[in-house]
Amino acid sequence: MTVLDVRDLQTHFFTDTGVVKAVDGVSFSLGEGEVLGLVGESGSGKSVTGFSILRLVDPPGRVVGGQINFRGQDLATLSARDMRSLRGNRIAMIFQDPMMTLNPVLRIETQMVEAVRAHDRVSHAAARDRAIQALSKVGIPSPEERLAAYPHQFSGGMRQRVAIAIALLNGPDLIVADEPTTALDVTIQSQILAEVQELARDTGTALIWITHDLAVVAGLADKICVMYAGRIVETGPTDAVLTAPGHPYTEGLLGSIPGHGRRGERLTQIPGMAPNMARLPLGCAFAPRCARASDICRTAAPEITDIGPGRALRCYHPAPMAEGVA
Amino acid sequence: MLVFLLRRLAQSVFVLIAMMIVVFFGVFMIGNPVDILISPDATPLEIEETMARFGFDQPVHVQFLKFVGNALQGDLGRSFVHGESAVSLILSYMPATLELALLGLIFSVAIGVPLGVYAGYKADRWQGRTIMTGSIFGFSLPNFWVGMLLILIFAVELRWLPSTGRGDTVEVLGLRLSIFTADGFQHMILPALTLALYKASLVTRLARAGTQEALMQDYVKFARAKGLSETRILVVHVLKNIMIPIITVLGLELGSMIAFAVVTETVFAWPGMGKLLIDSILTLDRPVIVAYLMLTVIIFIVINLIVDVVYTLLDPRVRVKGDAA
Ligand SMILES: Nc1ncnc2c1ncn2[C@@H]1O[C@H](COP(=O)(O)OP(=O)(O)O)[C@@H](O)[C@H]1O
Ligand code: SF4
Ligand SMILES: [Mg+2]
């Protein structure tokens, strides 16, 4: 069953220097227990997409178009009150920097109990029990004692586990995880990755895992959306995208992962820099960095085109392998 | 922590010595106390005797050394007017000033924090702008003017509150206080409000700046992602964070509140240290003036020390160290 269906989402920032189309026509959908990997370089609009789903985009940003259908209701038009009752309850979010997401002057207990009681009329003791369960689920030793601690008494990895426990508190249908392991070291990163994957599988929670690192979602996601300059440039089942990338940008991302490059090839970096979102080129936003760019790429932006079951591409000259699928 | 405290203590001693020099020589310049000590028709012999008794015939540096020597023993001279030890005279006026300053401080927090948090929350709206404009008045209106305005409105026109004196007092822990009697408390409201106005503006600005900054932090966004109400975010998450700097600043301001209660006490005929100072200046009661200035410096120093300690206690990040899991 579909949990989330985003259609043509547009989130723009109205800055002094002009309108930044941080998210420009993004669509994807996600079923129960499914994991979607949202991949792209920094600045491509991944976080803004995540915040748009929770309607937490700060001014000067605003969702200006599209639908965010969550279990049949459009979040884009939901009242502020109804939206609040969904947040942290049916839809939870985990942020990138665990050092900043917990309030430094409040005990873990306060921060967890309030998250339960914002949605459920339960006693403090009952909420506390739920907090203890959630903490032990994410592997925090002696959770009962740790409740009395302040965030600074935890390491970065432990803080992120606390944040994940908070996200799990009310058994949400959807969790948006915005690069939750990026700030952590590699061992802890893979531990947390494995745990979250297991939790999502056990509870049937749908998961949007945002990352700039294709390798992270390779073993985790059912399907992948590759974002570039506010748009999805390639999407499809994880295996298909990883084995036969169609978009030059996806190829570039794959080429920069150790072990994923094709036989005998050296690791490659995508040349050039992420585009200035306030001043995008006329045609394909990737054209200035693309080896296959032709004249048409520089004059008109390509449309997203289906090329197979669940697969779509936004490119005039996709890799031959992907075309074969169509 | 201990090293830090010792260093602060050493600094304080230097400040104290410097103040002694400034105060003594400064006050020495302000007129001849003999004029008020001796009746105009005294004989030259009587004048000389009095001068000798108070030591005014000695050279300045001898007088100063004697002053320092006595000061070290807690003796800052006798009041020319009241005849009693200057220090104990001031101490007997101190409870009135302390309770007034304390209530003023409470008022300034009670007024400033909610206004400031709201102004920070609505920073770009008319509500926020109005509050900020209002706080400019709080900064710039002179104390005596505000005091008289309050008297005019609440005492003369509306007749809601008394405007002079301390009202009923009650002895608590050996101190005569107004704050614990209904009548006394009513007497305190107007002067405390007058005293609070400037600080309330300061607190408003601090709270606004703190709120604006806190609202941009990830933990606020995360709190919103948890589905908390805006009220809870402001009252719990934001307030708890901004109270640390506010309490620090207010603690430091308590000293100036006590020291500068002078004008307010005069307007409201509040028998505190400030009023005593004004009276002493008018009568050239040199020991009382000197003792007042010295005591004020000591109060400042002690308050600063306390604030430093309280600050470390308040902030859990400073309080507990080195036990990250
Ligand atoms: N507060 C803001 N003001 C203006 N532009 C913003 C703001 N936040 C984000 N953007 C724009 O949105 C783009 C996407 O940001 P973001 O979603 O955070 O990228 P990422 O993919 O790294 O998560 C940025 O490149 C920037 O141009
Ligand atoms: S459309 Fe052209 S420029 Fe854009 S990615 Fe495809 S080939 Fe490159
Ligand atoms: Mg991001």
Side-chain angles (χ1 to χ4, degrees), chain A residues 56 58 84 87-88 93 100-101 103 105 111 114 119 146 152-153 155, chain B residues 219 221-222 224-228 232 237 241 316 320 323-325:
Chain A
L56 281 177
D58 287 322
R84 179 159 77 71
R87 270 187 220 124
M93 187 155 176
M100 310 297 288
T101 44
N103 192 321
V105 299
Q111 304 194 45
E114 68 180 1
H119 303 289
R146 301 305 276 158
H152 71 269
Q153 292 168 280
S155 65
Chain B
Y219 64 76
K221 204 161 194 177
F222 190 62
R224 288 197 172 122
K226 290 196 294 190
L228 303 188
R232 178 155 180 107
H237 285 255
N241 273 282
V320 208
D323 57 349

PDB file of all heavy atoms in Angstrom, chain A residues 56 58 84 87-88 93 100-101 103 105 111 114 119 146 152-153 155, chain B residues 219 221-222 224-228 232 237 241 316 320 323-325:
ATOM      1  N   LEU A  56       8.185  21.781   7.183  1.00  0.00           N
ATOM      2  CA  LEU A  56       9.058  22.475   8.131  1.00  0.00           C
ATOM      3  C   LEU A  56      10.078  23.342   7.406  1.00  0.00           C
ATOM      4  O   LEU A  56      11.156  23.584   7.923  1.00  0.00           O
ATOM      5  CB  LEU A  56       9.797  21.454   9.011  1.00  0.00           C
ATOM      6  CG  LEU A  56       9.001  20.847  10.165  1.00  0.00           C
ATOM      7  CD1 LEU A  56       9.834  19.810  10.893  1.00  0.00           C
ATOM      8  CD2 LEU A  56       8.559  21.928  11.138  1.00  0.00           C
ATOM      9  N   ASP A  58      11.737  26.592   6.499  1.00  0.00           N
ATOM     10  CA  ASP A  58      11.763  27.911   7.136  1.00  0.00           C
ATOM     11  C   ASP A  58      11.738  29.007   6.084  1.00  0.00           C
ATOM     12  O   ASP A  58      12.285  28.845   5.008  1.00  0.00           O
ATOM     13  CB  ASP A  58      13.043  28.061   7.968  1.00  0.00           C
ATOM     14  CG  ASP A  58      12.979  27.218   9.228  1.00  0.00           C
ATOM     15  OD1 ASP A  58      11.897  27.135   9.828  1.00  0.00           O
ATOM     16  OD2 ASP A  58      14.015  26.644   9.595  1.00  0.00           O
ATOM     17  N   ARG A  84       0.597  19.359  12.620  1.00  0.00           N
ATOM     18  CA  ARG A  84       1.363  19.153  13.846  1.00  0.00           C
ATOM     19  C   ARG A  84       1.045  17.803  14.482  1.00  0.00           C
ATOM     20  O   ARG A  84       1.922  17.149  15.041  1.00  0.00           O
ATOM     21  CB  ARG A  84       1.086  20.282  14.841  1.00  0.00           C
ATOM     22  CG  ARG A  84       1.834  20.121  16.142  1.00  0.00           C
ATOM     23  CD  ARG A  84       1.961  21.418  16.891  1.00  0.00           C
ATOM     24  NE  ARG A  84       0.744  21.823  17.565  1.00  0.00           N
ATOM     25  CZ  ARG A  84       0.249  21.212  18.638  1.00  0.00           C
ATOM     26  NH1 ARG A  84       0.867  20.173  19.134  1.00  0.00           N
ATOM     27  NH2 ARG A  84      -0.853  21.643  19.201  1.00  0.00           N
ATOM     28  N   ARG A  87       3.172  15.217  12.694  1.00  0.00           N
ATOM     29  CA  ARG A  87       4.623  15.300  12.901  1.00  0.00           C
ATOM     30  C   ARG A  87       5.047  14.577  14.169  1.00  0.00           C
ATOM     31  O   ARG A  87       4.465  14.792  15.227  1.00  0.00           O
ATOM     32  CB  ARG A  87       5.049  16.759  13.046  1.00  0.00           C
ATOM     33  CG  ARG A  87       5.408  17.416  11.769  1.00  0.00           C
ATOM     34  CD  ARG A  87       5.965  18.798  12.062  1.00  0.00           C
ATOM     35  NE  ARG A  87       5.467  19.734  11.076  1.00  0.00           N
ATOM     36  CZ  ARG A  87       4.804  20.844  11.358  1.00  0.00           C
ATOM     37  NH1 ARG A  87       4.577  21.180  12.604  1.00  0.00           N
ATOM     38  NH2 ARG A  87       4.397  21.615  10.392  1.00  0.00           N
ATOM     39  N   GLY A  88       6.079  13.757  14.049  1.00  0.00           N
ATOM     40  CA  GLY A  88       6.580  13.051  15.216  1.00  0.00           C
ATOM     41  C   GLY A  88       5.662  11.925  15.632  1.00  0.00           C
ATOM     42  O   GLY A  88       5.965  11.167  16.543  1.00  0.00           O
ATOM     43  N   MET A  93      11.217  12.528  11.723  1.00  0.00           N
ATOM     44  CA  MET A  93      12.400  12.917  10.967  1.00  0.00           C
ATOM     45  C   MET A  93      13.636  12.825  11.846  1.00  0.00           C
ATOM     46  O   MET A  93      13.578  13.088  13.047  1.00  0.00           O
ATOM     47  CB  MET A  93      12.230  14.343  10.428  1.00  0.00           C
ATOM     48  CG  MET A  93      13.353  14.762   9.497  1.00  0.00           C
ATOM     49  SD  MET A  93      12.843  16.056   8.336  1.00  0.00           S
ATOM     50  CE  MET A  93      14.405  16.364   7.504  1.00  0.00           C
ATOM     51  N   MET A 100      23.537  18.778  17.257  1.00  0.00           N
ATOM     52  CA  MET A 100      22.711  19.976  17.292  1.00  0.00           C
ATOM     53  C   MET A 100      21.220  19.677  17.491  1.00  0.00           C
ATOM     54  O   MET A 100      20.460  20.586  17.794  1.00  0.00           O
ATOM     55  CB  MET A 100      22.858  20.762  15.977  1.00  0.00           C
ATOM     56  CG  MET A 100      24.278  21.030  15.549  1.00  0.00           C
ATOM     57  SD  MET A 100      25.147  22.052  16.730  1.00  0.00           S
ATOM     58  CE  MET A 100      24.356  23.618  16.432  1.00  0.00           C
ATOM     59  N   THR A 101      20.806  18.436  17.303  1.00  0.00           N
ATOM     60  CA  THR A 101      19.357  18.198  17.266  1.00  0.00           C
ATOM     61  C   THR A 101      18.721  18.057  18.635  1.00  0.00           C
ATOM     62  O   THR A 101      17.529  18.267  18.777  1.00  0.00           O
ATOM     63  CB  THR A 101      19.001  16.944  16.449  1.00  0.00           C
ATOM     64  OG1 THR A 101      19.894  15.913  16.785  1.00  0.00           O
ATOM     65  CG2 THR A 101      19.061  17.223  14.991  1.00  0.00           C
ATOM     66  N   ASN A 103      18.154  19.273  22.493  1.00  0.00           N
ATOM     67  CA  ASN A 103      18.278  20.523  23.243  1.00  0.00           C
ATOM     68  C   ASN A 103      19.316  20.354  24.356  1.00  0.00           C
ATOM     69  O   ASN A 103      19.174  19.485  25.211  1.00  0.00           O
ATOM     70  CB  ASN A 103      16.924  20.898  23.831  1.00  0.00           C
ATOM     71  CG  ASN A 103      16.908  22.306  24.366  1.00  0.00           C
ATOM     72  OD1 ASN A 103      17.882  22.755  24.961  1.00  0.00           O
ATOM     73  ND2 ASN A 103      15.814  23.006  24.164  1.00  0.00           N
ATOM     74  N   VAL A 105      20.071  21.858  27.050  1.00  0.00           N
ATOM     75  CA  VAL A 105      19.786  22.122  28.465  1.00  0.00           C
ATOM     76  C   VAL A 105      18.603  21.317  29.017  1.00  0.00           C
ATOM     77  O   VAL A 105      18.160  21.560  30.127  1.00  0.00           O
ATOM     78  CB  VAL A 105      19.567  23.631  28.724  1.00  0.00           C
ATOM     79  CG1 VAL A 105      20.810  24.416  28.363  1.00  0.00           C
ATOM     80  CG2 VAL A 105      18.376  24.149  27.954  1.00  0.00           C
ATOM     81  N   GLN A 111      12.958  15.336  26.858  1.00  0.00           N
ATOM     82  CA  GLN A 111      12.837  15.442  25.409  1.00  0.00           C
ATOM     83  C   GLN A 111      12.123  14.238  24.802  1.00  0.00           C
ATOM     84  O   GLN A 111      11.561  14.333  23.712  1.00  0.00           O
ATOM     85  CB  GLN A 111      14.222  15.623  24.777  1.00  0.00           C
ATOM     86  CG  GLN A 111      14.949  16.823  25.368  1.00  0.00           C
ATOM     87  CD  GLN A 111      16.161  17.246  24.563  1.00  0.00           C
ATOM     88  OE1 GLN A 111      16.107  17.337  23.345  1.00  0.00           O
ATOM     89  NE2 GLN A 111      17.269  17.521  25.236  1.00  0.00           N
ATOM     90  N   GLU A 114       8.079  14.341  26.322  1.00  0.00           N
ATOM     91  CA  GLU A 114       7.247  15.358  25.674  1.00  0.00           C
ATOM     92  C   GLU A 114       6.838  14.912  24.264  1.00  0.00           C
ATOM     93  O   GLU A 114       5.756  15.251  23.795  1.00  0.00           O
ATOM     94  CB  GLU A 114       7.970  16.708  25.619  1.00  0.00           C
ATOM     95  CG  GLU A 114       9.167  16.717  24.690  1.00  0.00           C
ATOM     96  CD  GLU A 114       9.875  18.067  24.633  1.00  0.00           C
ATOM     97  OE1 GLU A 114       9.457  19.005  25.335  1.00  0.00           O
ATOM     98  OE2 GLU A 114      10.849  18.166  23.874  1.00  0.00           O
ATOM     99  N   HIS A 119       1.296  13.673  21.564  1.00  0.00           N
ATOM    100  CA  HIS A 119       0.344  12.980  20.692  1.00  0.00           C
ATOM    101  C   HIS A 119      -0.574  12.012  21.423  1.00  0.00           C
ATOM    102  O   HIS A 119      -1.609  11.640  20.912  1.00  0.00           O
ATOM    103  CB  HIS A 119       1.117  12.225  19.608  1.00  0.00           C
ATOM    104  CG  HIS A 119       1.998  13.113  18.792  1.00  0.00           C
ATOM    105  ND1 HIS A 119       1.496  14.023  17.889  1.00  0.00           N
ATOM    106  CD2 HIS A 119       3.336  13.286  18.767  1.00  0.00           C
ATOM    107  CE1 HIS A 119       2.489  14.688  17.336  1.00  0.00           C
ATOM    108  NE2 HIS A 119       3.626  14.271  17.848  1.00  0.00           N
ATOM    109  N   ARG A 146      20.182   6.353  31.697  1.00  0.00           N
ATOM    110  CA  ARG A 146      20.585   7.353  30.714  1.00  0.00           C
ATOM    111  C   ARG A 146      19.509   8.415  30.497  1.00  0.00           C
ATOM    112  O   ARG A 146      19.801   9.494  29.986  1.00  0.00           O
ATOM    113  CB  ARG A 146      20.939   6.691  29.371  1.00  0.00           C
ATOM    114  CG  ARG A 146      22.055   5.674  29.476  1.00  0.00           C
ATOM    115  CD  ARG A 146      23.307   6.246  30.100  1.00  0.00           C
ATOM    116  NE  ARG A 146      24.135   6.941  29.132  1.00  0.00           N
ATOM    117  CZ  ARG A 146      25.027   7.866  29.458  1.00  0.00           C
ATOM    118  NH1 ARG A 146      25.182   8.221  30.714  1.00  0.00           N
ATOM    119  NH2 ARG A 146      25.760   8.442  28.535  1.00  0.00           N
ATOM    120  N   HIS A 152      25.008  16.358  26.228  1.00  0.00           N
ATOM    121  CA  HIS A 152      26.470  16.424  26.128  1.00  0.00           C
ATOM    122  C   HIS A 152      27.146  15.242  26.808  1.00  0.00           C
ATOM    123  O   HIS A 152      28.337  15.055  26.660  1.00  0.00           O
ATOM    124  CB  HIS A 152      26.973  17.733  26.734  1.00  0.00           C
ATOM    125  CG  HIS A 152      26.857  17.772  28.225  1.00  0.00           C
ATOM    126  ND1 HIS A 152      25.742  18.269  28.859  1.00  0.00           N
ATOM    127  CD2 HIS A 152      27.679  17.343  29.189  1.00  0.00           C
ATOM    128  CE1 HIS A 152      25.905  18.147  30.160  1.00  0.00           C
ATOM    129  NE2 HIS A 152      27.062  17.588  30.392  1.00  0.00           N
ATOM    130  N   GLN A 153      26.377  14.466  27.562  1.00  0.00           N
ATOM    131  CA  GLN A 153      26.971  13.302  28.216  1.00  0.00           C
ATOM    132  C   GLN A 153      26.992  12.081  27.295  1.00  0.00           C
ATOM    133  O   GLN A 153      27.415  11.014  27.698  1.00  0.00           O
ATOM    134  CB  GLN A 153      26.215  12.995  29.508  1.00  0.00           C
ATOM    135  CG  GLN A 153      26.430  14.069  30.570  1.00  0.00           C
ATOM    136  CD  GLN A 153      25.465  13.934  31.726  1.00  0.00           C
ATOM    137  OE1 GLN A 153      24.316  14.352  31.651  1.00  0.00           O
ATOM    138  NE2 GLN A 153      25.923  13.345  32.811  1.00  0.00           N
ATOM    139  N   SER A 155      28.083  10.459  23.352  1.00  0.00           N
ATOM    140  CA  SER A 155      28.912  10.662  22.165  1.00  0.00           C
ATOM    141  C   SER A 155      27.994  10.954  20.980  1.00  0.00           C
ATOM    142  O   SER A 155      26.777  10.778  21.064  1.00  0.00           O
ATOM    143  CB  SER A 155      29.719   9.405  21.898  1.00  0.00           C
ATOM    144  OG  SER A 155      28.835   8.356  21.562  1.00  0.00           O
TER     145      SER A 155
ATOM    146  N   TYR B 219      17.792  22.247  17.223  1.00  0.00           N
ATOM    147  CA  TYR B 219      16.977  21.596  18.238  1.00  0.00           C
ATOM    148  C   TYR B 219      15.542  22.118  18.256  1.00  0.00           C
ATOM    149  O   TYR B 219      14.619  21.397  18.641  1.00  0.00           O
ATOM    150  CB  TYR B 219      17.628  21.663  19.627  1.00  0.00           C
ATOM    151  CG  TYR B 219      17.818  23.034  20.229  1.00  0.00           C
ATOM    152  CD1 TYR B 219      16.742  23.726  20.776  1.00  0.00           C
ATOM    153  CD2 TYR B 219      19.061  23.628  20.278  1.00  0.00           C
ATOM    154  CE1 TYR B 219      16.910  24.971  21.339  1.00  0.00           C
ATOM    155  CE2 TYR B 219      19.240  24.879  20.841  1.00  0.00           C
ATOM    156  CZ  TYR B 219      18.166  25.546  21.369  1.00  0.00           C
ATOM    157  OH  TYR B 219      18.328  26.786  21.928  1.00  0.00           O
ATOM    158  N   LYS B 221      13.988  23.074  15.432  1.00  0.00           N
ATOM    159  CA  LYS B 221      13.389  22.423  14.270  1.00  0.00           C
ATOM    160  C   LYS B 221      13.057  20.964  14.612  1.00  0.00           C
ATOM    161  O   LYS B 221      12.010  20.449  14.223  1.00  0.00           O
ATOM    162  CB  LYS B 221      14.359  22.487  13.089  1.00  0.00           C
ATOM    163  CG  LYS B 221      13.656  22.378  11.765  1.00  0.00           C
ATOM    164  CD  LYS B 221      14.516  22.902  10.632  1.00  0.00           C
ATOM    165  CE  LYS B 221      13.661  23.093   9.383  1.00  0.00           C
ATOM    166  NZ  LYS B 221      14.398  23.660   8.269  1.00  0.00           N
ATOM    167  N   PHE B 222      13.947  20.340  15.343  1.00  0.00           N
ATOM    168  CA  PHE B 222      13.714  18.946  15.741  1.00  0.00           C
ATOM    169  C   PHE B 222      12.505  18.870  16.680  1.00  0.00           C
ATOM    170  O   PHE B 222      11.696  17.955  16.585  1.00  0.00           O
ATOM    171  CB  PHE B 222      14.966  18.371  16.408  1.00  0.00           C
ATOM    172  CG  PHE B 222      14.903  16.883  16.647  1.00  0.00           C
ATOM    173  CD1 PHE B 222      14.794  16.004  15.579  1.00  0.00           C
ATOM    174  CD2 PHE B 222      14.952  16.362  17.930  1.00  0.00           C
ATOM    175  CE1 PHE B 222      14.739  14.634  15.787  1.00  0.00           C
ATOM    176  CE2 PHE B 222      14.892  14.990  18.141  1.00  0.00           C
ATOM    177  CZ  PHE B 222      14.782  14.125  17.071  1.00  0.00           C
ATOM    178  N   ARG B 224      10.017  20.835  16.624  1.00  0.00           N
ATOM    179  CA  ARG B 224       8.840  20.963  15.761  1.00  0.00           C
ATOM    180  C   ARG B 224       8.566  19.646  15.049  1.00  0.00           C
ATOM    181  O   ARG B 224       7.417  19.243  14.897  1.00  0.00           O
ATOM    182  CB  ARG B 224       9.064  22.058  14.719  1.00  0.00           C
ATOM    183  CG  ARG B 224       9.036  23.436  15.325  1.00  0.00           C
ATOM    184  CD  ARG B 224       8.835  24.513  14.257  1.00  0.00           C
ATOM    185  NE  ARG B 224       8.618  25.791  14.906  1.00  0.00           N
ATOM    186  CZ  ARG B 224       9.377  26.865  14.712  1.00  0.00           C
ATOM    187  NH1 ARG B 224      10.374  26.831  13.848  1.00  0.00           N
ATOM    188  NH2 ARG B 224       9.132  27.974  15.364  1.00  0.00           N
ATOM    189  N   ALA B 225       9.638  18.970  14.629  1.00  0.00           N
ATOM    190  CA  ALA B 225       9.474  17.685  13.940  1.00  0.00           C
ATOM    191  C   ALA B 225       8.866  16.640  14.873  1.00  0.00           C
ATOM    192  O   ALA B 225       8.301  15.660  14.429  1.00  0.00           O
ATOM    193  CB  ALA B 225      10.809  17.202  13.384  1.00  0.00           C
ATOM    194  N   LYS B 226       9.012  16.863  16.179  1.00  0.00           N
ATOM    195  CA  LYS B 226       8.395  15.942  17.129  1.00  0.00           C
ATOM    196  C   LYS B 226       6.902  16.225  17.288  1.00  0.00           C
ATOM    197  O   LYS B 226       6.191  15.483  17.947  1.00  0.00           O
ATOM    198  CB  LYS B 226       9.063  16.071  18.511  1.00  0.00           C
ATOM    199  CG  LYS B 226      10.486  15.534  18.535  1.00  0.00           C
ATOM    200  CD  LYS B 226      11.006  15.306  19.942  1.00  0.00           C
ATOM    201  CE  LYS B 226      11.170  16.579  20.736  1.00  0.00           C
ATOM    202  NZ  LYS B 226      11.900  16.350  22.007  1.00  0.00           N
ATOM    203  N   GLY B 227       6.454  17.349  16.734  1.00  0.00           N
ATOM    204  CA  GLY B 227       5.038  17.691  16.821  1.00  0.00           C
ATOM    205  C   GLY B 227       4.677  18.489  18.056  1.00  0.00           C
ATOM    206  O   GLY B 227       3.516  18.568  18.427  1.00  0.00           O
ATOM    207  N   LEU B 228       5.660  19.094  18.694  1.00  0.00           N
ATOM    208  CA  LEU B 228       5.369  19.917  19.872  1.00  0.00           C
ATOM    209  C   LEU B 228       4.655  21.195  19.443  1.00  0.00           C
ATOM    210  O   LEU B 228       4.819  21.672  18.330  1.00  0.00           O
ATOM    211  CB  LEU B 228       6.659  20.290  20.597  1.00  0.00           C
ATOM    212  CG  LEU B 228       7.553  19.150  21.073  1.00  0.00           C
ATOM    213  CD1 LEU B 228       8.676  19.705  21.928  1.00  0.00           C
ATOM    214  CD2 LEU B 228       6.769  18.127  21.848  1.00  0.00           C
ATOM    215  N   ARG B 232       4.916  25.263  23.717  1.00  0.00           N
ATOM    216  CA  ARG B 232       5.862  24.439  24.469  1.00  0.00           C
ATOM    217  C   ARG B 232       7.301  24.697  23.989  1.00  0.00           C
ATOM    218  O   ARG B 232       8.232  24.767  24.781  1.00  0.00           O
ATOM    219  CB  ARG B 232       5.538  22.959  24.338  1.00  0.00           C
ATOM    220  CG  ARG B 232       6.565  22.133  25.083  1.00  0.00           C
ATOM    221  CD  ARG B 232       6.128  20.770  25.546  1.00  0.00           C
ATOM    222  NE  ARG B 232       7.255  20.143  26.229  1.00  0.00           N
ATOM    223  CZ  ARG B 232       7.338  19.962  27.534  1.00  0.00           C
ATOM    224  NH1 ARG B 232       6.351  20.340  28.304  1.00  0.00           N
ATOM    225  NH2 ARG B 232       8.416  19.420  28.075  1.00  0.00           N
ATOM    226  N   HIS B 237      11.729  24.888  25.445  1.00  0.00           N
ATOM    227  CA  HIS B 237      12.996  24.720  24.721  1.00  0.00           C
ATOM    228  C   HIS B 237      13.773  26.016  24.576  1.00  0.00           C
ATOM    229  O   HIS B 237      14.976  26.058  24.794  1.00  0.00           O
ATOM    230  CB  HIS B 237      12.726  24.108  23.349  1.00  0.00           C
ATOM    231  CG  HIS B 237      12.404  22.648  23.435  1.00  0.00           C
ATOM    232  ND1 HIS B 237      13.296  21.682  23.068  1.00  0.00           N
ATOM    233  CD2 HIS B 237      11.305  22.001  23.874  1.00  0.00           C
ATOM    234  CE1 HIS B 237      12.744  20.485  23.274  1.00  0.00           C
ATOM    235  NE2 HIS B 237      11.536  20.660  23.761  1.00  0.00           N
ATOM    236  N   ASN B 241      17.042  27.808  27.330  1.00  0.00           N
ATOM    237  CA  ASN B 241      18.336  28.149  26.762  1.00  0.00           C
ATOM    238  C   ASN B 241      18.714  29.603  26.957  1.00  0.00           C
ATOM    239  O   ASN B 241      19.878  29.922  27.153  1.00  0.00           O
ATOM    240  CB  ASN B 241      18.366  27.818  25.265  1.00  0.00           C
ATOM    241  CG  ASN B 241      18.785  26.386  25.021  1.00  0.00           C
ATOM    242  OD1 ASN B 241      19.965  26.068  25.090  1.00  0.00           O
ATOM    243  ND2 ASN B 241      17.823  25.520  24.788  1.00  0.00           N
ATOM    244  N   PRO B 316      24.416  22.951  32.388  1.00  0.00           N
ATOM    245  CA  PRO B 316      24.810  21.550  32.573  1.00  0.00           C
ATOM    246  C   PRO B 316      26.072  21.198  31.797  1.00  0.00           C
ATOM    247  O   PRO B 316      26.802  20.301  32.181  1.00  0.00           O
ATOM    248  CB  PRO B 316      23.599  20.772  32.046  1.00  0.00           C
ATOM    249  CG  PRO B 316      22.815  21.733  31.249  1.00  0.00           C
ATOM    250  CD  PRO B 316      23.099  23.087  31.816  1.00  0.00           C
ATOM    251  N   VAL B 320      28.784  19.393  34.444  1.00  0.00           N
ATOM    252  CA  VAL B 320      29.293  18.020  34.405  1.00  0.00           C
ATOM    253  C   VAL B 320      30.271  17.916  33.256  1.00  0.00           C
ATOM    254  O   VAL B 320      29.928  18.201  32.126  1.00  0.00           O
ATOM    255  CB  VAL B 320      28.153  17.009  34.171  1.00  0.00           C
ATOM    256  CG1 VAL B 320      28.505  15.683  34.788  1.00  0.00           C
ATOM    257  CG2 VAL B 320      26.858  17.546  34.711  1.00  0.00           C
ATOM    258  N   ASP B 323      32.331  13.050  31.154  1.00  0.00           N
ATOM    259  CA  ASP B 323      31.745  11.721  31.348  1.00  0.00           C
ATOM    260  C   ASP B 323      30.848  11.348  30.180  1.00  0.00           C
ATOM    261  O   ASP B 323      29.784  10.795  30.341  1.00  0.00           O
ATOM    262  CB  ASP B 323      30.977  11.629  32.663  1.00  0.00           C
ATOM    263  CG  ASP B 323      29.890  12.683  32.757  1.00  0.00           C
ATOM    264  OD1 ASP B 323      29.885  13.590  31.896  1.00  0.00           O
ATOM    265  OD2 ASP B 323      29.050  12.602  33.646  1.00  0.00           O
ATOM    266  N   ALA B 324      31.313  11.683  28.963  1.00  0.00           N
ATOM    267  CA  ALA B 324      30.544  11.329  27.780  1.00  0.00           C
ATOM    268  C   ALA B 324      30.472   9.811  27.658  1.00  0.00           C
ATOM    269  O   ALA B 324      31.429   9.104  27.941  1.00  0.00           O
ATOM    270  CB  ALA B 324      31.195  11.928  26.531  1.00  0.00           C
ATOM    271  N   ALA B 325      29.314   9.324  27.249  1.00  0.00           N
ATOM    272  CA  ALA B 325      29.126   7.875  27.148  1.00  0.00           C
ATOM    273  C   ALA B 325      29.876   7.324  25.927  1.00  0.00           C
ATOM    274  O   ALA B 325      29.932   7.975  24.907  1.00  0.00           O
ATOM    275  CB  ALA B 325      27.646   7.557  27.002  1.00  0.00           C
TER     276      ALA B 325
END
